[in-house]
Amino acid sequence: MTLAQVEAAARAAHSGQTDKAGRPYAEHLRAVAEGVRARGGDEEQIAAAWLHDAVEDDAHSAQWLREAALSSRTKDIVLAVTKRAGEPPEAYAARILATPGALLVKESDLAHNADPARLAVLDEATRKRLTEKYARMRALLGLVG
């Protein structure tokens, strides 16, 4: 799949979904993909950024991902950043760190999720909970500063 095809598949899969602030979910996907690009990511990482929440959010099935015309590296990155039910954050972080290319995608995801402008529209309790959650994951991944 070309990056344009990956973007179209991701947008279609998340059509009608919104983020915690009520914004179209595709805006988050675009921001993560652009963040990966800005951080020097390659096309496989950018494709994974577009799809980073697809399996986790049941927008695409794991079978769809397996059968998609994507590189095995892109698929590995998507699966690495896909949270699993009941999985401890330490195990999640370890999987990301063990998968080549996944850290850059997760770093971009965390950066957009923790954007003060995005968090500002949330209620105080949610903002505090998410800020702590994102900071903990950044620490587990060794992303300081």
Side-chain angles (χ1 to χ4, degrees):
M1 296 174 77
T2 66
L3 276 179
Q5 291 170 321
V6 170
E7 176 182 347
R11 287 180 179 277
H14 291 277
S15 176
Q17 291 181 344
T18 57
D19 66 10
K20 290 174 182 63
R23 303 289 310 156
Y25 203 78
E27 290 179 10
H28 171 64
L29 303 176
R30 181 189 49 75
V32 175
E34 288 304 313
V36 167
R37 184 186 313 276
R39 289 171 174 82
D42 59 33
E43 287 200 2
E44 291 174 320
Q45 290 169 302
I46 295 166
W50 275 108
L51 297 169
H52 78 277
D53 279 336
V55 175
E56 181 177 318
D57 292 349
D58 293 323
H60 278 306
S61 68
Q63 180 174 342
W64 178 91
L65 183 65
R66 280 191 301 276
E67 295 172 358
L70 298 164
S71 72
S72 59
R73 181 168 173 253
T74 295
K75 294 175 186 183
D76 289 347
I77 293 170
V78 172
L79 292 175
V81 299
T82 298
K83 289 183 215 145
R84 299 172 185 166
E87 180 177 39
E90 296 80 6
Y92 177 55
R95 186 174 62 252
I96 291 168
L97 291 171
T99 305
L103 181 60
L104 187 66
V105 174
K106 189 60 184 175
E107 179 182 13
S108 182
D109 179 38
L110 287 167
H112 189 247
N113 282 338
D115 180 336
R118 275 187 96 207
L119 292 171
V121 300
L122 303 175
D123 64 83
E124 186 177 340
T126 301
R127 185 172 50 248
K128 183 176 189 276
R129 178 180 60 79
L130 292 176
T131 298
E132 290 170 1
K133 174 184 166 183
Y134 301 146
R136 178 162 187 242
M137 183 53 59
R138 286 185 60 80
L140 289 170
L141 293 170
L143 299 170
V144 291

